[in-house]
Amino acid sequence: VLQLTVKTRIKDESIFPILDQMAMEYSTAKRQLFVEITKGEKNRSELKQEFIVRHKITARQFNSIWCEVNGSISSVNELKKDLIRNLRSKIKSLKEKLDNQPSKLKNHQWKRKIFALGKKLEKMKAGLKETPAICFGGKKLFQKYRYKI
């Protein structure tokens, strides 16, 4: 797949408020589509009809948002799978070290580490079945909501 990114600098600052409004509406539609997709109550065509009317967007814009949201969801799920593989690898490595270690202190420390990693692995496996947590926004927005709780 060939992708092309085009950048331009806008010299007419009078259209900035319009662009800001468009970006705000796009991100609102994106967040709402994420919620609807994760509910799983409606299929793509139903959501498409609903979103085109509700947000006054074109079918092409909906398709773009749909692909972006599904890409984010699958990206988070793949990342979780990768983290699970890494945890399994760490546990396996520590178990091999444990078998070859004569020191009781090291054995105790590694057993504790293996236990902690095992608990983390269980949580990660359970997290695969849950709705992925995605922050739509930048670091500033993430920090704002993270420390608000």
Side-chain angles (χ1 to χ4, degrees):
V1 175
L2 178 66
Q3 286 187 338
L4 177 67
T5 302
V6 179
K7 293 183 181 182
T8 185
R9 293 184 187 253
I10 300 171
K11 293 183 174 129
D12 183 12
E13 293 183 13
S14 66
I15 63 170
F16 285 179
I18 297 167
L19 294 175
D20 287 340
Q21 183 65 28
M22 287 173 65
M24 187 71 88
E25 289 175 14
Y26 181 86
S27 68
T28 300
K30 189 165 103 173
R31 287 191 308 274
Q32 289 177 2
L33 184 60
F34 172 75
V35 170
E36 292 294 328
I37 289 173
T38 54
K39 280 183 187 176
E41 296 171 355
K42 299 177 183 172
N43 64 25
R44 181 180 176 155
S45 61
E46 292 171 335
L47 288 172
K48 188 173 190 174
Q49 292 171 354
E50 182 183 318
F51 270 72
I52 287 173
V53 172
R54 186 185 335 157
H55 295 283
K56 298 177 182 122
I57 59 176
T58 64
R60 185 175 289 211
Q61 289 169 322
F62 175 83
N63 291 339
S64 172
I65 295 169
W66 176 271
C67 289
E68 194 173 339
V69 170
N70 273 325
S72 296
I73 292 170
S74 63
S75 173
V76 169
N77 288 334
E78 286 301 313
L79 179 61
K80 284 180 182 178
K81 290 176 187 175
D82 191 43
L83 291 172
I84 287 172
R85 278 192 296 271
N86 287 343
L87 280 174
R88 284 185 178 142
S89 172
K90 282 182 183 179
I91 291 171
K92 182 180 175 186
S93 172
L94 283 174
K95 283 182 178 178
E96 288 172 1
K97 285 182 180 180
L98 186 65
D99 293 338
N100 300 329
Q101 183 57 250
S103 170
K104 288 187 177 192
L105 180 61
K106 284 282 186 191
N107 279 348
H108 175 71
Q109 290 171 341
W110 282 340
K111 284 179 184 176
R112 288 182 54 157
K113 182 75 172 177
I114 290 169
F115 180 77
L117 289 175
K119 287 291 184 188
K120 193 173 182 178
L121 181 63
E122 288 173 18
K123 281 184 181 180
M124 294 294 279
K125 284 181 181 178
L128 275 176
K129 296 176 183 104
E130 297 172 358
T131 301
I134 297 175
C135 177
F136 293 99
K139 186 176 182 180
K140 187 176 178 182
L141 180 68
F142 175 72
Q143 295 297 332
K144 177 182 170 185
Y145 287 107
R146 179 177 176 204
Y147 293 113
K148 195 176 191 178
I149 295 172

